[in-house]
């Protein structure tokens, strides 16, 4: 079993739709969680950190469920520019290295 | 803030030559830098982790004598692909972590270097 698992998709949604991605992790001691987005042939860019209480940034909402060991990313009112691969990242804390999921591909269509 | 640069952005070299890629954190001191490789339509693969002044820690299956990493300062790490072969052609991405209050676990990525070995 992978340390971090994501549904690879692809998710094809129309503009304006709401879409949610889940990511599960196996290390129950994980401390920090992030979502990154990666555009085709570009580097990953930090989208948002995920806090225990959940956090929202505009159309994006991230949630953490420690009991079930998953994090989620909700995108409301999808835009064409949201088309990208979304990477889930889990860190054990301290000086530990982060583990990246393989990513979920989202395509928003007009 | 949190800008990481990488140079060169793309390079074409002949088989057997060596290529050096630089990664710099421009506005923060990076306690740790990471080197990744990514093949088309595949996920990021961590190659090695380096801390300033220490030897890099390589992931299983990554040849340390082929991929030389030097982390000379808190703002600069280099990756040298020695005796490059066509199968080394890939997108190499560095990332830097540390130094930003409240967000020292967040990784910031350089724009990547596209290496083509002919």
């Amino acid at each position: 079993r992978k340390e971090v698992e994501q549904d690879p998709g692809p998710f094809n949604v129309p503009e304006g739709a709401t879409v949610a991605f889940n990511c599960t992790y196996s290390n129950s001691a994980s401390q920090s969680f992030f979502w990154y987005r990666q555009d085709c042939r570009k580097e990953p860019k930090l989208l948002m950190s995920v806090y225990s209480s959940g956090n929202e940034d505009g159309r994006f909402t991230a949630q953490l469920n420690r009991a079930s060991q998953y994090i989620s990313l909700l995108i409301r009112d999808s835009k064409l520019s949201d088309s990208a691969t979304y990477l889930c990242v889990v860190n054990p804390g301290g000086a530990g290295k982060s583990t990246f999921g393989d990513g979920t591909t989202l395509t928003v269509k007009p | 803030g949190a800008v990481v640069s990488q140079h060169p952005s793309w390079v074409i070299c002949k088989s057997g030559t060596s290529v050096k890629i630089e990664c710099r954190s421009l506005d923060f001191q990076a306690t740790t830098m990471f080197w990744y490789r990514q093949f088309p339509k595949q996920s990021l693969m961590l190659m090695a982790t380096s801390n300033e002044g220490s030897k890099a820690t390589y992931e299983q299956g990554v040849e340390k004598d082929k991929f030389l990493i030097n982390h000379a300062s808190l703002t600069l790490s280099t990756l040298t692909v020695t005796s490059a072969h066509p199968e080394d052609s890939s997108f190499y991405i560095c990332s830097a972590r540390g130094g930003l209050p409240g967000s020292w676990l967040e990784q910031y990525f350089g724009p990547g270097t596209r290496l083509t070995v002919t």
Side-chain angles (χ1 to χ4, degrees):
Chain A
R1 184 188 169 190
K2 289 185 178 180
E3 289 183 55
V4 177
E5 292 207 60
Q6 292 184 250
D7 181 345
F11 283 67
N12 297 307
V13 302
E15 267 187 294
T18 295
V19 61
F21 308 134
N22 280 340
C23 165
T24 59
Y25 59 94
S26 60
N27 182 357
S28 60
S30 298
Q31 296 293 318
S32 302
F33 309 87
F34 309 92
W35 283 102
Y36 284 73
R37 71 170 277 168
Q38 184 175 23
D39 294 287
C40 188
R41 297 172 72 85
K42 299 278 191 178
E43 79 278 18
K45 292 191 176 176
L46 179 65
L47 182 63
M48 58 200 306
S49 303
V50 186
Y51 304 122
S52 296
S53 54
N55 48 305
E56 188 174 310
D57 183 2
R59 298 180 294 107
F60 299 84
T61 301
Q63 296 274 350
L64 166 64
N65 185 317
R66 284 192 186 273
S68 300
Q69 294 182 207
Y70 77 83
I71 65 173
S72 63
L73 177 68
L74 181 78
I75 305 175
R76 290 181 298 278
D77 189 22
S78 301
K79 311 288 184 193
L80 295 177
S81 57
D82 293 334
S83 298
T85 296
Y86 290 83
L87 303 170
C88 165
V89 181
V90 176
N91 186 284
K97 63 186 181 189
S98 296
T99 300
F100 282 71
D102 290 341
T104 297
T105 299
L106 171 67
T107 301
V108 181
K109 300 189 173 179
Chain B
V3 178
V4 177
S5 72
Q6 219 173 307
H7 177 81
S9 54
W10 59 271
V11 58
I12 302 173
C13 70
K14 291 184 188 275
S15 191
T17 60
S18 295
V19 174
K20 180 187 277 189
I21 302 170
E22 287 190 353
C23 176
R24 293 180 186 271
S25 56
L26 298 185
D27 52 2
F28 68 102
Q29 293 187 324
T31 51
T32 307
M33 286 188 171
F34 304 88
W35 286 96
Y36 294 85
R37 183 164 59 177
Q38 188 174 38
F39 293 104
K41 298 191 185 295
Q42 293 189 25
S43 52
L44 287 169
M45 188 195 85
L46 178 65
M47 299 175 69
T49 302
S50 75
N51 294 294
E52 182 260 344
S54 305
K55 286 185 179 179
T57 301
Y58 289 80
E59 295 299 302
Q60 195 170 15
V62 178
E63 299 174 58
K64 63 181 181 181
D65 294 330
K66 180 168 180 64
F67 298 100
L68 302 178
I69 291 171
N70 184 279
H71 193 158
S73 74
L74 283 170
T75 60
L76 172 64
S77 177
T78 60
L79 167 69
T80 301
V81 183
T82 62
S83 187
H85 290 284
E87 57 265 29
D88 298 324
S89 299
S90 187
F91 189 42
Y92 291 85
I93 313 174
C94 73
S95 76
R97 184 176 84 180
L100 296 171
S103 61
W104 73 277
L105 284 178
E106 294 171 358
Q107 288 182 230
Y108 295 90
F109 287 82
T113 296
R114 203 161 296 281
L115 170 64
T116 301
V117 185
T118 60

